[in-house]
Amino acid sequence: MSEILTDAQLRRLTGAKSSELQKSVLEENQIPYVRRRDGTPVVTWAMVNQSKLASRPRGKALPLGFNLEAAS
């Protein structure tokens, strides 16, 4: 999944309305972004998810499968 986050999704992800604050939050959380010509950040879900995987502690395995009991 590598679709581009909408402006609303980017605001929700960062908690910031201004592009300067959004870029700051993205950098603090080590989420890569591309700058548009007007300076606003562009982020894909793949960038967000890749950042989450990269920031997990070394040696900690990813969970296997789904916990169907939690869905009840």
Side-chain angles (χ1 to χ4, degrees):
M1 175 192 260
S2 63
E3 43 186 73
I4 295 173
L5 276 70
T6 65
D7 291 337
Q9 290 170 325
L10 187 56
R11 281 193 304 271
R12 187 167 185 205
L13 176 70
T14 61
K17 289 183 181 181
S18 81
S19 62
E20 292 304 313
L21 285 175
Q22 289 172 349
K23 289 186 276 189
S24 176
V25 170
L26 292 169
E27 290 166 2
E28 286 173 22
N29 290 284
Q30 299 177 344
I31 299 173
Y33 62 91
V34 176
R35 267 181 246 203
R36 289 185 179 131
R37 194 173 208 168
D38 65 0
T40 59
V42 176
V43 180
T44 65
W45 283 113
M47 292 168 157
V48 173
N49 293 330
Q50 184 176 3
S51 174
K52 285 180 66 174
L53 288 174
S55 66
R56 71 180 171 85
R58 291 250 184 236
K60 185 170 181 176
L62 292 173
L64 300 175
F66 293 98
N67 180 355
L68 295 178
E69 292 178 17
S72 316

